[in-house]
Amino acid sequence: MTWFRNAHILHKNGEFGKSDLLIRNGRIDKIGKYPGKGDSLDCSGLFITPGLIDAHCHIAIVEDGVGKIGWQENEATEPVTPHLRAIDAIYPDDMALADALAAGITSGMITPGSANLICGTTAVLKFHGKIADEMVVLSPAGMKMALGENPFRCYGERDKLPSTRMGNAALIRETLFSAVNYLKKKNHKKKDKDFDPDFKMECLIPVIEGRLPVRMHAHRSDDIVTAVRIAKEFNLRLSIEHCTEGHKIADFLAENKISCIIGPNISSREKLELRNRSFATPYHLFQAGVKFAFMTDHPIIPIGLLPLCASLAVKAGLPKDAAYRALTVNSAEICGVSNRIGRLEPGLDADFVIWDREPLEFDSLVLSTYINGECVFERKST
């Protein structure tokens, strides 16, 4: 049991207030006043936030510093692979995980890549541990799907479906239609002696039943609208991943109650669908009332730059409290793990970070990072 006293503590509304934090048995026990007894650490002048969450990245499945052999995110051999699982490619010794902890990022959603239309399931992991299963907060955390250039470029070059945006949507619809019919047949299997289980279809049942959200890669506004159209047709739960042109259709996203994960915004416009990338996208989504979080899409942006993504959005007009919510509570809610992480509240996991100043300041430093109440990073004095 340890008190962290006299700190500026980030509340779920995205604002800081001075208080004391009690950690007991790996969980947050209390936010209140230090009683004057018990182990304590004086944090006067320091700032404490929940561990930041990267809501979409490929850390530990695209391994840093090893080259192509470490690129394990894309099984680009057929366009429909719902049976893939990100957790099966996690390497807990990826050196980038240490970079994340040093930047105050304690967890994130790890996704398959976007070469395929239906890519496989995502997982939310804490960024410290020896075995992937012990790092898991939630797996599966979504079914990754993709629209836009990546799938039709990958397969169109081989003269295979899809080779256009129409092909993208058609094959996703066809697969979901097959899953719906498969489930109907399965529900009548006692009457059907010829029922033959299909592993891929089994993996899509939680999706069409609404128990597992679709995490749809979509940059351009037309692809975003197509994703929403398909979600309505099949009653899917949906979040938009990347949402590069979300500012163009912010009111549409708000009207349809679609959550978005924004980024990567510190990157070149290396393909056509990124030409309208803007640091102001989060501001426009905020103005429209859209819930959003930030991503690095690591290794597209090194994961340690996640706070900088939020800082640049603030520079472009986003209120600072909204940026803090996007890095913490919003990210946890969109990723489906707000019962464990994302806020400093009693009963939640003791994943938190001590900073020397406000985290969104350019020269802020992480002094120490905790996961489950254990210090997993401590800055050495220079």
Side-chain angles (χ1 to χ4, degrees):
M1 180 177 80
T2 303
W3 282 92
F4 296 79
R5 50 191 175 85
N6 301 321
H8 300 281
I9 291 178
L10 184 69
H11 299 293
K12 66 179 181 180
N13 65 359
E15 297 180 354
F16 286 94
K18 195 169 182 181
S19 191
D20 303 325
L21 174 69
L22 175 62
I23 304 301
R24 189 199 306 263
N25 298 326
R27 292 186 180 274
I28 298 167
D29 188 270
K30 184 183 298 185
I31 295 178
K33 182 157 181 66
Y34 173 58
K37 58 182 179 180
D39 292 340
S40 70
L41 178 67
D42 186 8
C43 297
S44 296
L46 304 181
F47 292 76
I48 297 181
T49 69
L52 307 187
I53 303 168
D54 190 332
H56 176 120
C57 63
H58 307 287
I59 196 170
I61 63 172
V62 179
E63 188 184 347
D64 254 21
V66 299
K68 192 172 182 179
I69 193 66
W71 301 350
Q72 296 291 306
E73 81 279 27
N74 279 312
E75 181 64 43
T77 51
E78 57 178 296
V80 176
T81 54
H83 53 317
L84 301 183
R85 301 174 183 176
I87 191 173
D88 292 326
I90 300 297
Y91 182 55
D93 286 333
D94 180 6
M95 63 194 300
L97 292 167
D99 296 338
L101 297 177
I105 304 152
T106 55
S107 57
M109 183 180 296
I110 300 174
T111 83
S114 52
N116 294 351
L117 293 167
I118 301 180
C119 319
T121 55
T122 69
V124 179
L125 269 68
K126 299 194 180 190
F127 290 162
H128 178 73
K130 294 181 178 180
I131 297 170
D133 304 70
E134 297 172 354
M135 300 160 67
V136 166
V137 182
L138 180 64
S139 180
M143 179 65 71
K144 172 75 177 294
M145 298 188 188
L147 291 170
E149 294 182 29
N150 289 8
F152 74 69
R153 187 173 61 230
C154 180
Y155 292 97
E157 290 172 354
R158 309 176 202 175
D159 294 324
K160 293 179 62 176
L161 183 69
S163 63
T164 63
R165 283 186 159 83
M166 292 184 295
N168 283 349
L171 192 47
I172 288 176
R173 279 193 181 96
E174 180 183 10
T175 305
L176 292 171
F177 182 81
S178 296
V180 169
N181 285 336
Y182 174 84
L183 180 58
K184 290 178 181 177
K185 187 175 181 180
K186 180 178 180 179
N187 288 338
H188 291 85
K189 63 182 179 180
K190 292 182 180 179
K191 300 177 183 178
D192 187 351
K193 296 180 181 179
D194 296 324
F195 178 77
D196 185 16
D198 182 312
F199 185 44
K200 289 185 180 180
M201 292 294 105
E202 288 287 334
C203 294
L204 285 169
I205 288 176
V207 176
I208 60 174
E209 288 184 334
R211 293 183 285 115
L212 187 67
V214 170
R215 312 291 186 182
M216 184 68 81
H217 165 113
H219 286 281
R220 273 190 9 177
S221 59
D222 54 348
D223 291 322
I224 295 169
V225 173
T226 296
V228 174
R229 186 182 304 122
I230 292 172
K232 287 181 176 180
E233 292 169 13
F234 291 92
N235 295 315
L236 308 176
R237 294 167 55 201
L238 176 69
S239 69
I240 298 296
E241 315 281 305
H242 302 297
C243 201
T244 301
E245 291 188 353
H247 55 279
K248 290 187 169 187
I249 53 170
D251 290 339
F252 170 83
L253 291 167
E255 179 183 345
N256 287 280
K257 298 181 170 60
I258 304 298
S259 297
C260 304
I261 301 173
I262 309 302
N265 60 5
I266 314 174
S267 63
S268 65
R269 297 177 175 92
E270 62 178 4
K271 53 185 179 179
L272 181 62
E273 61 189 13
L274 299 180
R275 64 179 179 171
N276 291 310
R277 175 187 59 72
S278 170
F279 295 124
T281 300
Y283 166 74
H284 292 291
L285 295 179
F286 167 77
Q287 287 290 95
V290 176
K291 181 182 290 186
F292 65 90
F294 290 109
M295 69 156 83
T296 62
D297 205 20
H298 177 92
I300 303 301
I301 298 173
I303 196 163
L305 298 183
L306 181 66
L308 180 59
C309 297
S311 295
L312 290 170
V314 170
K315 186 176 180 180
L318 183 68
K320 193 177 286 187
D321 59 339
Y324 282 123
R325 290 196 300 272
L327 289 169
T328 56
V329 60
N330 284 8
S331 189
E333 290 175 355
I334 294 171
C335 293
V337 291
S338 59
N339 63 322
R340 294 274 307 274
I341 58 177
R343 307 185 311 281
L344 297 176
E345 292 186 2
L348 272 62
D349 296 358
D351 296 2
F352 63 99
V353 186
I354 302 178
W355 308 75
D356 69 339
R357 64 200 70 193
E358 273 207 43
L360 294 185
E361 294 184 16
F362 179 77
D363 55 351
S364 65
L365 291 175
V366 172
L367 301 181
S368 52
T369 302
Y370 292 77
I371 292 180
N372 299 327
E374 175 190 355
C375 184
V376 294
F377 168 80
E378 187 167 16
R379 185 169 301 278
K380 301 190 184 324
S381 58
T382 56

